[in-house]
Amino acid sequence: MATAEYVNTHYPIPTYRFVLDIDGDGKTDGVFSSVSGLELGIDTIEYKDGTGQAVQPPGQRQPLSITLRRGTIPKDSPLFAWLYSVSENKVDKKDCTITLADESGATNLVTWNITDAFPVKLSGQNLDGSSGEGSVEEVVLTADRLTVIFH
C-alpha cells in the first residue's frame, strides 16, 4: 500500500518527449512520443588472402532510417514544406536534432545530431483548424550520419 508521500513524489509517471529541430535554429518543429531507428552501424568488408585467411575491416556506415511516432507539429513547422519539396524531386538535405527532454520540457537529457537528413514518409496527419497545429502518426527520415550528446 502506497503512502501519500510516495504517491506525490512518484506519480504521475513522467512522460518523456522527443523534440525535433529541423534547421538547428532552436525552434521546436515537432514533438513526438517515441523514436526508433537511432542506430549506428558499420558494414564490414571481407578480404581473403591466398593462404585461406580472411580479414574483415570496417567498411561504410549503414544508412539511417529514423521513425518518429505520435507527434504534434506546430503551424509554422517547415516539415510539410520540406516533405513537399522532396516529393517534387528537390532533395534538400538538412541537419536536424532530436532531443529527449524531461516531462517539463525544460531539461535536455540526450540529443541526437542527424546529418544530411530528408523526409521519406508522413502518415496519419490530422490538422486542427482552430490552432493551426497538426498531429501525425509517423514521420520517417533517412540520413547519412548520427552523433549522440549526453547532457
Side-chain angles (χ1 to χ4, degrees), residues 37 39 41 43 60-65 142-144:
E39 302 171 354
D43 292 330
Q60 296 182 350
R61 283 188 288 287
Q62 295 175 348
L64 297 166
S65 181
T142 186
D144 292 340

Side-chain angles (χ1 to χ4, degrees), residues 67-142:
T67 304
L68 300 111
R69 289 190 180 87
R70 294 178 300 283
T72 58
I73 299 173
K75 63 181 175 181
D76 60 347
S77 175
L79 183 61
F80 292 111
W82 190 27
L83 183 67
Y84 184 70
S85 70
V86 171
S87 71
E88 290 186 325
N89 205 20
K90 300 175 188 173
V91 178
D92 184 16
K93 292 184 175 185
K94 297 184 180 190
D95 295 344
C96 305
T97 61
I98 298 173
T99 303
L100 173 62
D102 66 357
E103 65 274 5
S104 68
T107 304
N108 295 335
L109 305 174
V110 180
T111 299
W112 293 268
N113 295 315
I114 303 161
T115 306
D116 291 336
F118 62 93
V120 293
K121 182 180 179 183
L122 174 66
S123 66
Q125 52 207 5
N126 299 309
L127 302 175
D128 183 357
S130 63
S131 68
E133 290 190 348
S135 64
V136 294
E137 184 60 32
E138 185 175 79
V139 175
V140 179
L141 303 174
T142 186

